[in-house]
Amino acid sequence: MGEARGALLLRDLERAAYLAAAPVLARMPAVIGYRVACWRGDWACQLQAGKRAELERNLRQVLGNEVSPAVVHQVMREWFRLASCEAVDVRRLRHGAGPLRRLVEVRGRGHLEAALAAGKGAILCSAHFGSYLSAFSVLHASGFPVTTIGRWWYNYDPGISSAERRVWDLHLKPVRRHQQRPNIEPWPGRLEVAAMAAEALRANEVVTVCIDAPPLNSDQERAIEVPFLGLRARLLPGAVVLAQLTGAPLLTCFMHRAVDYRHQVLEISPPMPVIGETVATFERFAAEVSAAIQRNPAHWYFWASAADLADLGLTSRLPGCADTAAGRGWLDGIL
Amino acid sequence: METVINDYISRELVQDPALLPLADGTPLLETRILDSLSLLKLVLFVEERFGIAMGETGLLPENFSSVNAICAYVRAQQPGKQAASRG
């Protein structure tokens, strides 16, 4: 028991030290900063045996046992590397996000400009995929008025201490600086979320939404089942309904990291048709997210959370894993 | 105005037939008639039908707690029409 506490303490201290070091890494030449981030990712992969086991179990449960051990090992290692690199991305959002923008190639910028030309705003459907928060910030810093529908997880997870909350708040301050309006946060019982998003769209702004978020308990009855990663997932089709009501075009947006770990490509699709029935339309967007994850599985945030995967309906809930805070260590958010 | 809004909510937003007929004082939030997206539908309808802009400041739960509350809010946003009807 004492050893377990010691190991937990070591992990927590390591995470805190890495977050504290991230601003320094972000000021180094990118080739060095991201190399160190990868080393740290490899080290975290070794150190965090519990999270490694959870990742492996989740990957096998969702992707199937036919996935080879070599592939699982590669995805796990890359997942830790990407999590470490993401912390550096966030800290490179200083000075108008210039240090990060230099490393990100935006493809499909014209699609977004054309979508906004119609004057009804644009909805970017994305996922908890890669450095998605930094991607939205890069877009905003590139001249698009971006507002995100999404909750700052650390404000809602009852397992997070106030000290940890403050650390996350400080770490993510650069993300909050690069957005048109404060996040539109859909906490339970908050009714005005869709209307606030519609307000931003009326002002011809860009609204981003991650459509792969596990539904809250209060939203489960509104969730629909769609094909996802070869299984069926419960997701909320709100982005499609918002587009149907406001007439705003829907596009997809994913940022993936190159093999050198420092360069990234942010891909924006042309507007996708929002015609016909809501479920059928939403299935097409879920399929886009699913395909992006299958192309780059290590980029998906939720591999590390059995509780989130269970809320999505992709896995069965493990005993003793009642909520997302179960089994967490300090600063065990995206690190 | 009460009839128009009540009809719209009853026709478009009420999922549970047991809640019909809808009284103007029925709580729309506690009965879960309104959620985030149905509220947006209602806002768009009210704005178009009564020619007002609700904006973020109008999106308070108390303004949508019942048909009566919605009508009170809309009337408060239509001072010209109110004055005309009083005159």
Side-chain angles (χ1 to χ4, degrees), chain A residues 111-131:
Chain A
H111 297 315
L112 188 53
E113 287 169 344
L116 290 174
K120 292 185 172 179
I123 303 171
L124 282 184
C125 283
S126 190
H128 295 77
F129 180 90
S131 287

Side-chain angles (χ1 to χ4, degrees), chain A:
Chain A
M1 193 68 184
E3 268 185 17
R5 270 204 299 273
L8 190 63
L9 181 65
L10 183 62
R11 283 201 299 270
D12 294 346
L13 286 174
E14 190 273 337
R15 287 187 185 116
Y18 183 66
L19 276 188
V24 179
L25 296 180
R27 285 172 191 278
M28 290 178 172
V31 66
I32 297 173
Y34 285 100
R35 173 64 62 86
V36 174
C38 286
W39 286 340
R40 184 271 165 185
D42 291 345
W43 193 50
C45 185
Q46 294 300 317
L47 190 68
Q48 299 181 32
K51 185 177 255 186
R52 207 172 59 234
E54 186 167 4
L55 271 163
E56 182 172 2
R57 188 174 55 240
N58 293 337
L59 282 163
R60 288 198 181 286
Q61 272 202 301
V62 176
L63 299 181
N65 282 328
E66 62 271 19
V67 179
S68 72
V71 170
V72 170
H73 178 77
Q74 186 192 343
V75 171
M76 281 194 303
R77 192 175 88 139
E78 203 180 345
W79 189 94
F80 280 97
R81 284 185 169 193
L82 296 180
S84 295
C85 289
E86 185 176 3
V88 179
D89 290 341
V90 168
R91 304 310 301 197
R92 289 182 73 94
L93 289 171
R94 66 184 189 279
H95 304 318
L100 184 60
R101 284 172 61 193
R102 280 195 290 276
L103 300 173
V104 176
E105 178 193 349
V106 180
R107 292 180 187 162
R109 186 186 169 96
H111 297 315
L112 188 53
E113 287 169 344
L116 290 174
K120 292 185 172 179
I123 303 171
L124 282 184
C125 283
S126 190
H128 295 77
F129 180 90
S131 287
Y132 63 99
L133 291 173
S134 298
F136 302 155
S137 295
V138 163
L139 271 183
H140 182 80
S142 306
F144 295 104
V146 174
T147 298
T148 295
I149 302 176
R151 288 173 300 141
W152 296 109
W153 72 93
Y154 51 85
N155 284 334
Y156 300 92
D157 190 332
I160 288 184
S161 67
S162 58
E164 186 180 348
R165 199 164 285 138
R166 274 198 295 276
V167 171
W168 282 120
D169 204 47
L170 194 64
H171 175 66
L172 292 168
K173 198 172 174 184
V175 173
R176 287 197 305 276
R177 194 179 298 137
H178 294 291
Q179 51 189 23
Q180 186 72 9
R181 306 169 189 238
N183 268 23
I184 300 171
E185 300 195 57
W187 60 70
R190 190 180 194 197
L191 289 176
E192 63 270 37
V193 169
M196 289 172 76
E199 196 67 21
L201 293 169
R202 266 185 197 164
N204 205 25
E205 295 172 9
V206 178
V207 171
T208 65
V209 57
C210 292
I211 62 170
D212 61 339
L216 299 167
N217 286 338
S218 55
D219 289 330
Q220 282 288 353
E221 64 188 45
R222 291 197 301 116
I224 58 172
E225 268 201 9
V226 294
F228 196 77
L229 296 175
L231 303 171
R232 293 190 72 80
R234 285 193 301 273
L235 298 171
L236 292 167
V240 169
V241 180
L242 186 62
Q244 288 168 332
L245 289 173
T246 60
L250 268 170
L251 305 86
T252 63
C253 159
F254 302 104
M255 187 157 82
H256 57 87
R257 199 173 289 278
V259 289
D260 65 6
Y261 287 94
R262 63 182 189 278
H263 290 96
Q264 298 183 79
V265 175
L266 198 169
E267 291 197 88
I268 302 168
S269 75
M272 290 174 64
V274 184
I275 45 174
E277 207 235 335
T278 302
V279 175
T281 305
F282 184 72
E283 278 184 358
R284 289 200 293 276
F285 286 90
E288 291 291 323
V289 171
S290 183
I293 295 168
Q294 283 170 325
R295 280 193 299 272
N296 294 290
H299 282 59
W300 200 38
Y301 170 81
F302 291 121
W303 291 126
S305 171
D308 285 324
L309 291 176
D311 286 343
L312 284 166
L314 291 172
T315 60
S316 49
R317 187 174 289 281
L318 291 172
C321 187
D323 57 55
T324 51
R328 285 167 30 89
W330 206 73
L331 289 179
D332 190 7
I334 49 174
L335 287 174

